[in-house]
Amino acid sequence: MSDSIKTIAKNKKAYHDHFIIETYEAGISLMGSEVKSIRNGRVNLKDSWCSIVKGELFVNGLHISVYEQGAQWCKDPLRVRKLLMHKREIMKLFGQEQQQGYSIIPLSLYFKGSNIKLEIGLCKGKKLYDKRNDMAKKTAKRDIERALKERQY
C-alpha cells in the first residue's frame, strides 16, 4: 500500500529560528470546510506552535482561511485544533518539552493518501550567532556551486 505524499505548506521560519531535534507525524482534527480550504492551499503555519494540555496535544496559531462556499459553518481561522497522536508519544514529548529551551512546533502540513497530516518537531531555539553562521554556510555553498557551474562551461 503506497501512500502518496503531497505537501501543502511548510514552515520555513521554524527551520530558520530553531534546531529540529526530532520530528513526529500527527493527524489533525478538522471541520469539513477547513479541509476544503486546505485543499485550496489556504493555510499558514508561520506563527503556529503546539501545547500539551491534560495529556492532549493541541496546535495554536494555525491559520486556515474561511472557505467561501461554506459560509454557514464558518469557524474562527485561528481556533485551537486537536492533534491526534498515541498517548505514549504525547507523554514522551511532554517530558522532553519540560527541558529548558525546548518547544513543539509544526513543520509541515501534507496529504498522506486522503488524510491530512501535520509534521511536528521538537525544537530548540537558535541564538542570533547560530542564525548568522547558518546563513554564512548557505551563501558559501551557493557560491561554490555557482563557481563549479561556471567552470563546466
Side-chain angles (χ1 to χ4, degrees), residues 91-151:
M91 289 298 116
K92 181 180 176 187
L93 273 173
F94 181 70
Q96 291 175 335
E97 184 188 30
Q98 296 303 313
Q99 294 180 14
Q100 185 69 24
Y102 286 103
S103 57
I104 304 168
I105 298 183
L107 302 175
S108 67
L109 188 70
Y110 56 92
F111 284 108
K112 188 173 183 182
S114 62
N115 298 324
I116 297 175
K117 301 287 184 178
L118 185 70
E119 181 182 25
I120 59 173
L122 181 68
C123 304
K124 185 172 179 104
K126 286 184 182 177
K127 304 287 185 197
L128 185 59
Y129 58 85
D130 291 327
K131 293 178 191 178
R132 279 194 298 248
N133 192 13
D134 285 347
M135 198 174 293
K137 285 180 185 176
K138 200 179 288 185
T139 56
K141 183 178 177 184
R142 193 179 314 123
D143 291 342
I144 290 170
E145 287 176 359
R146 197 175 290 142
L148 288 174
K149 189 175 181 181
E150 289 175 2
R151 272 179 107 189

